């Protein structure tokens, strides 16, 4: 069965600083990987996804993520954080034949000015 | 022009009552889901329907009963509500069967049982 670990519950960065949110997954075959963002009182919005091909994927709002099979990781990055990026971020794993996505516990991002 | 809409947004009720949450998607997707997000923000799938057929039924009390009258609608009925049912319930949809397709989420229904 798939599982996802997001080791950091909270992260605080200064506005304009770079950001990296960690995600590790457990899955025996090639995973389908996703990052979602949830603003307070809102549903989850897809930032980016990885299915195959180039291991560096670009998403919306200036985010990118890199799939590293050897480390079972799919970390999310942004070179310069804006105050509006403060939200909760969820990593999720699926598969080519599975019926569901499994989500990590989320990382809360705080941005200080 | 909301893609996945669920109603109501807030639901406050007493223990023992029965309540329903409705969800509709206008994306033309084949699969719809109910997820529960607890107080620690952990998201757990409850049910999934593909073209009105139930394909995922996780370990959920049978007080929870989903119904999909057509592939654009998925409702959730909860009988005999308990304090532990308090959570945010998210409806979602996807084009594929879920493991290989991005989910599109509604804005959630915050259920508070007193």
């Amino acid at each position: 069965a798939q599982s996802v670990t997001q080791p950091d519950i909270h992260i605080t960065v200064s506005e304009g600083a770079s950001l990296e949110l960690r995600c590790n997954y457990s899955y025996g075959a090639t995973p389908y990987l996703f990052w979602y963002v949830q603003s307070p009182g809102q549903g989850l919005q897809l930032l980016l996804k990885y299915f195959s091909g180039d291991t560096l994927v670009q998403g919306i709002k200036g985010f990118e993520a890199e799939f590293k099979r050897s480390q079972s990781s799919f970390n999310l990055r942004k070179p310069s954080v804006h105050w509006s990026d403060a939200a909760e971020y969820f990593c999720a794993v699926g598969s080519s034949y599975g019926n569901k996505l499994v989500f990590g516990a989320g990382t809360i991002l705080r941005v200080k000015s | 022009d909301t893609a996945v809409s669920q109603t109501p947004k807030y639901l406050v009720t007493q223990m023992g009552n029965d309540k329903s949450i409705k969800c509709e998607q206008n994306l033309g997707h084949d699969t719809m889901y109910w997820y529960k997000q607890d107080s620690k923000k952990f998201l757990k799938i409850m049910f999934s329907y593909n073209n009105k057929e139930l394909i995922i039924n996780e370990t959920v009390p049978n007080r929870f009963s989903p119904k999909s009258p057509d592939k654009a609608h998925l409702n959730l009925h909860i009988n005999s509500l308990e304090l532990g049912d308090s959570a945010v319930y998210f409806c979602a949809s996807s084009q594929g069967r879920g493991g290989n397709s991005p989910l599109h989420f509604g804005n959630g229904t915050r259920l508070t049982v007193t």
Side-chain angles (χ1 to χ4, degrees), chain A residues 6-45:
Chain A
Q6 293 180 246
D8 304 304
I9 298 173
H10 299 98
I11 281 188
T12 301
V13 299
S14 298
E15 191 168 14
S18 64
L19 169 70
E20 182 169 30
L21 301 182
R22 295 184 291 164
C23 172
N24 293 99
Y25 68 90
S26 173
Y27 185 59
T30 300
Y32 285 29
L33 295 160
F34 306 81
W35 275 100
Y36 287 83
V37 60
Q38 183 180 26
S39 297
Q42 301 294 314
L44 281 74
Q45 180 185 20

Side-chain angles (χ1 to χ4, degrees), chain A residues 10 25 72 82 84:
Chain A
H10 299 98
Y25 68 90
S72 298
H82 188 261
S84 61

